[in-house]
Amino acid sequence: MFFNPLTCLFMIIFFFLLFFSFIMVQIHVIAFAFAKIGIPSEHIFGALLASLLGSYVNIPLKKIPQENLVSRTWVSFYGFRHMIPVSQKRETVLAVNLGGAVIPTFLCLYLLVKTDLWTSCLIATAAMSIFTYRVARPVPGLGIALPAFVPPLMAALIAVIIGYQNAPVIAYVSGTLGTLIGADLMNLDKIKDLGAPVASIGGAGTFDGIFLNGILAVLLSAVFA
């Protein structure tokens, strides 16, 4: 299943931010922050680009029957407009987003194995899961949505409190996994009542928060620390 999780305008903004990030890497600003989590600067742009392009790819997992399917094609939430794929069937396709869930999860596992910060990241992820569960909102026709800029800031603050010396790694892992668990997985029981044609784990309303975590959480934690 392929569809754009945001409007063209916001995708252009994300691509601009990605290009800007690439420029920043060349002057060693973002490279310094990502070096703290063990990712070489030459791989940063590729990792971010893979996440952004992967946001178009949703891997179907199961189908959930719906009584009232929302027919709208656009939904606005926290200033962002999200595109809803049109469906004639009274069912919601539960899917997992490649760029917003699969790729970030593998990157988190890589960082955990490399740094061995399992305990600190587990505590921080639990805290982030509770936080994102409280701020996430079910949006009819869309699924579960989350304010875009809140998770990175909270992940950075939690990471600095829990592990000052390893704040960037903890911020990225807890911000990413905490958002996936708290906003998406802990709200799966609400999907059957939202009338959304597609409910994507790590996509739609939560993709922007997860994608921004990859850039902002690491930078903020590095600044705070």
Side-chain angles (χ1 to χ4, degrees):
M1 299 173 62
F2 301 87
F3 63 89
N4 185 354
L6 299 173
T7 63
C8 290
L9 175 61
F10 283 110
M11 292 305 292
I12 292 174
I13 292 175
F14 277 138
F15 272 109
F16 175 78
L17 289 175
L18 186 60
F19 177 76
F20 178 74
S21 299
F22 178 71
I23 299 299
M24 296 290 279
V25 166
Q26 299 309 306
I27 61 175
H28 306 292
V29 175
I30 292 183
F32 169 77
F34 275 80
K36 286 183 171 292
I37 63 174
I39 300 178
S41 60
E42 61 268 22
H43 298 321
I44 297 171
F45 183 76
L48 296 178
L49 182 61
S51 293
L52 188 57
L53 294 179
S55 69
Y56 284 84
V57 182
N58 295 275
I59 305 170
L61 298 178
K62 62 179 295 187
K63 297 179 180 179
I64 304 173
Q66 291 286 338
E67 290 295 331
N68 299 303
L69 195 68
V70 174
S71 59
R72 287 177 294 172
T73 56
W74 299 99
V75 169
S76 296
F77 185 76
Y78 279 102
F80 282 71
R81 294 189 71 212
H82 303 272
M83 186 180 74
I84 301 176
V86 178
S87 175
Q88 301 300 325
K89 299 181 179 179
R90 289 186 174 276
E91 61 185 20
T92 292
V93 177
L94 178 63
V96 59
N97 188 267
L98 179 63
V102 178
I103 293 176
T105 298
F106 275 109
L107 182 54
C108 288
L109 292 175
Y110 164 78
L111 294 175
L112 285 171
V113 171
K114 183 174 182 178
T115 61
D116 201 31
L117 294 172
W118 295 91
T119 301
S120 298
C121 288
L122 179 62
I123 296 173
T125 299
M128 273 297 296
S129 298
I130 295 173
F131 173 78
T132 54
Y133 176 74
R134 297 296 298 272
V135 300
R137 294 291 182 269
V139 179
L142 175 64
I144 307 301
L146 193 71
F149 296 98
V150 176
L153 178 60
M154 184 56 60
L157 291 174
I158 292 175
V160 171
I161 294 173
I162 292 179
Y164 185 84
Q165 296 295 329
N166 302 292
V169 174
I170 299 174
Y172 185 88
V173 173
S174 64
T176 300
L177 297 183
T179 300
L180 283 171
I181 295 171
D184 283 335
L185 298 183
M186 294 175 66
N187 284 293
L188 286 179
D189 60 323
K190 300 177 182 178
I191 291 177
K192 58 183 177 59
D193 300 319
L194 297 179
V198 178
S200 181
I201 299 173
T206 56
F207 167 74
D208 37 23
I210 295 171
F211 180 79
L212 289 173
N213 276 345
I215 302 175
L216 297 181
V218 176
L219 290 175
L220 289 171
S221 62
V223 171
F224 292 158

